[in-house]
Amino acid sequence: MSQIASMTILVAMVGLRTGALLALFKFLATSFGPEGFGQLSQIMAVAAVFYMIAGGGLTNGIVRNVAAAPDRDKSASWLKAALPIVAIFAVALAAAALAIWLWGSSFLFPEQDMGYVLLAVGLAQIVVGAGNLALAYLSGIGAIRTFAAANAGGTIVATGLIAVLALTTGFRGAAVGVACLALAPALLGLVAFGRHMDWKVVWDAAFVRRQMGELLQYSGSMFLAAGAVPLALVYMRADLAESIGWKQVGLWQSVARISDAYMQVFGVLFMNYLLPQLARLPLAARGRRLGEIAIVILGLFLVGAAVFLAFSDTVLRLAFSSTFRTASVYVAPQLLGDGLKLGALAFVYYFVAVGRASVQAGAEVLVAVVMVVAYVVLLPRLGALTPLVSYAIASSVLLLVMAVVYTRHRLRQPRLAAQDGDPPRKGMM
């Protein structure tokens, strides 16, 4: 499949997912107002922390190593090495969700009795963990159409079921539904996996302890990377709700949810296009390919950002309701933070491709720490704008740090930098 076709399919997939999610957000915002939408956003964020690391957070490790594997048997051995990690993390995360439900739900949901959603999140761990593994394998072998169909189809099914739950059982049904949003794509991913790999082949594959150890490195890095910023945002939402109220959280989250929707496009391109591309190339050619793909991604972002900024009132009214038009003041700082973050992520995924998974973890921890510190310092002065300004500050710090780290990395390898235009290995494109 050509590069343009692969990118087009991935963008179309995210477009369908985005459309379904925005339709759901509009329905939920109209049904429950800014306060209810703020609470549902907190539930989605808490659930997302669990689902990103479901199964051990092995996505990047599986994508990279399966993409570089010379044959099907080698790919199967990576999957077999992952299975014990998936099982252990499913049990551990389910136990963590139960513990938070029993003793920590009042912090996550101030003045609201919504801890029951954590029970649903815990019960979903084994399915979502196995589904994450299956989807990562599909991405690694380049089965872009199947990967995209499972993701988009699952999201569309899930949003429809959440709408039905909201209509039939009210806010509590909607809360459980958004907490289980990741279940449908995971189930379809497992079904699609069966078209490309027989589980018996995985079971019969050689178990290589070294591979399990390498995957655990990615697991630890993803655990930090996937948890640091979302946990910081969970804290900021809860604190802002206590300080100013859930209505302001809902207005902020209306812009944040639109941001999440379009940032998924770029996240998918980084993880499912850029990362496999760089993993298949010889080391000397990776810098040039990084620049080519990063320019395209940043160009797409700038075009979309200009449109969103110019028509923010209309977008917010159409995506949610006229009540949310006052949230347009949050658009500019959100876009600034997103653009800076994308620039930094291009460097981050370069290091993931060369086997430096710890860089991704370090980057996300840095963003989380700077963001929380800036939030605490600026809240008395900026009020409801504080989370967005803090995010922009943290993203600018990350971009600067990653640019310096990448430059030093390239300067340490002058021979590779000089050969940066070498053609890729035969059969790897």
Side-chain angles (χ1 to χ4, degrees):
M1 185 182 297
S2 70
Q3 296 179 36
I4 294 176
S6 296
M7 292 185 71
T8 301
I9 290 171
L10 289 172
V11 170
M13 176 203 78
V14 181
L16 289 172
R17 290 184 60 189
T18 300
L21 288 171
L22 288 177
L24 175 66
F25 295 159
K26 180 177 178 64
F27 170 74
L28 295 175
T30 304
S31 300
F32 304 113
E35 183 175 348
F37 186 72
Q39 294 165 5
L40 291 172
S41 293
Q42 179 75 331
I43 294 170
M44 285 186 274
V46 171
V49 173
F50 281 87
Y51 294 140
M52 282 188 289
I53 56 177
L58 302 178
T59 298
N60 284 344
I62 292 296
V63 170
R64 179 188 181 273
N65 288 297
V66 168
D71 53 47
R72 192 178 189 221
D73 289 341
K74 187 70 171 178
S75 295
S77 70
W78 282 107
L79 293 174
K80 186 165 185 177
L83 290 178
I85 302 173
V86 171
I88 291 169
F89 268 82
V91 174
L93 290 171
L98 179 62
I100 297 172
W101 174 43
L102 294 173
W103 298 294
S105 62
S106 60
F107 170 75
L108 296 177
F109 311 109
E111 302 176 4
Q112 301 293 328
D113 179 22
M114 292 190 292
Y116 57 89
V117 300
L118 290 161
L119 181 60
V121 171
L123 293 173
Q125 284 304 302
I126 186 63
V127 176
V128 177
N132 285 351
L133 181 65
L135 290 168
Y137 173 80
L138 293 173
S139 175
I141 63 172
I144 298 300
R145 288 190 181 92
T146 308
F147 171 85
N151 259 294
T155 301
I156 292 170
V157 169
T159 54
L161 290 174
I162 293 168
V164 170
L165 283 172
L167 287 170
T168 55
T169 61
F171 183 83
R172 283 183 172 266
V176 172
V178 298
C180 297
L181 180 62
L183 265 178
L187 286 168
L188 287 185
L190 287 168
V191 173
F193 175 87
R195 296 178 54 191
H196 293 270
M197 174 66 81
D198 188 341
W199 281 109
K200 187 177 184 302
V201 175
V202 177
W203 188 256
D204 293 339
F207 180 79
V208 182
R209 187 172 298 178
R210 177 190 58 79
Q211 291 179 331
M212 185 176 177
E214 186 172 335
L215 288 175
L216 281 171
Q217 293 178 13
Y218 281 93
S219 178
S221 298
M222 181 57 78
F223 193 91
L224 290 173
V229 172
L231 286 174
L233 290 171
V234 165
Y235 160 74
M236 288 160 62
R237 272 187 292 267
D239 186 73
L240 196 67
E242 262 194 299
S243 303
I244 302 177
W246 279 110
K247 180 178 180 180
Q248 291 302 320
V249 175
L251 293 174
W252 160 36
Q253 287 302 291
S254 65
V255 175
R257 289 300 155 195
I258 294 175
S259 166
D260 289 345
Y262 63 70
M263 287 294 279
Q264 283 185 26
V265 176
F266 304 108
V268 166
L269 289 176
F270 278 130
M271 184 178 296
N272 302 109
Y273 183 74
L274 175 65
L275 178 55
Q277 284 277 316
L278 295 183
R280 294 183 185 120
L281 288 171
L283 187 61
R286 287 172 179 163
R288 179 176 180 180
R289 182 58 55 85
L290 171 70
E292 293 170 350
I293 297 175
I295 288 172
V296 173
I297 290 175
L298 291 175
L300 289 172
F301 171 78
L302 290 174
V303 172
V307 173
F308 186 19
L309 189 61
F311 301 100
S312 57
D313 283 357
T314 303
V315 170
L316 289 166
R317 178 172 54 81
L318 292 176
F320 299 98
S321 69
S322 57
T323 308
F324 287 80
R325 291 179 62 183
T326 54
S328 59
V329 67
Y330 301 132
V331 172
Q334 181 72 54
L335 288 171
L336 176 61
D338 287 341
L340 294 168
K341 183 74 176 289
L342 283 177
L345 285 177
F347 296 123
V348 168
Y349 273 93
Y350 169 87
F351 285 105
V352 174
V354 299
R356 301 271 295 277
S358 59
V359 171
Q360 184 180 25
E364 294 299 315
V365 170
L366 176 63
V367 169
V369 170
V370 174
M371 192 162 57
V372 170
V373 170
Y375 171 83
V376 171
V377 172
L378 296 175
L379 181 61
R381 298 177 179 83
L382 299 180
L385 277 173
T386 307
L388 297 108
V389 175
S390 302
Y391 170 55
I393 291 172
S395 296
S396 64
V397 171
L398 177 63
L399 177 58
L400 177 61
V401 169
M402 290 309 306
V404 170
V405 171
Y406 176 78
T407 301
R408 291 186 63 185
H409 170 77
R410 300 298 292 176
L411 289 176
R412 287 175 181 174
Q413 303 177 55
R415 181 180 62 83
L416 295 180
Q419 296 172 353
D420 214 24
D422 283 0
R425 294 190 295 268
K426 185 177 180 181
M428 289 298 180
M429 292 300 294

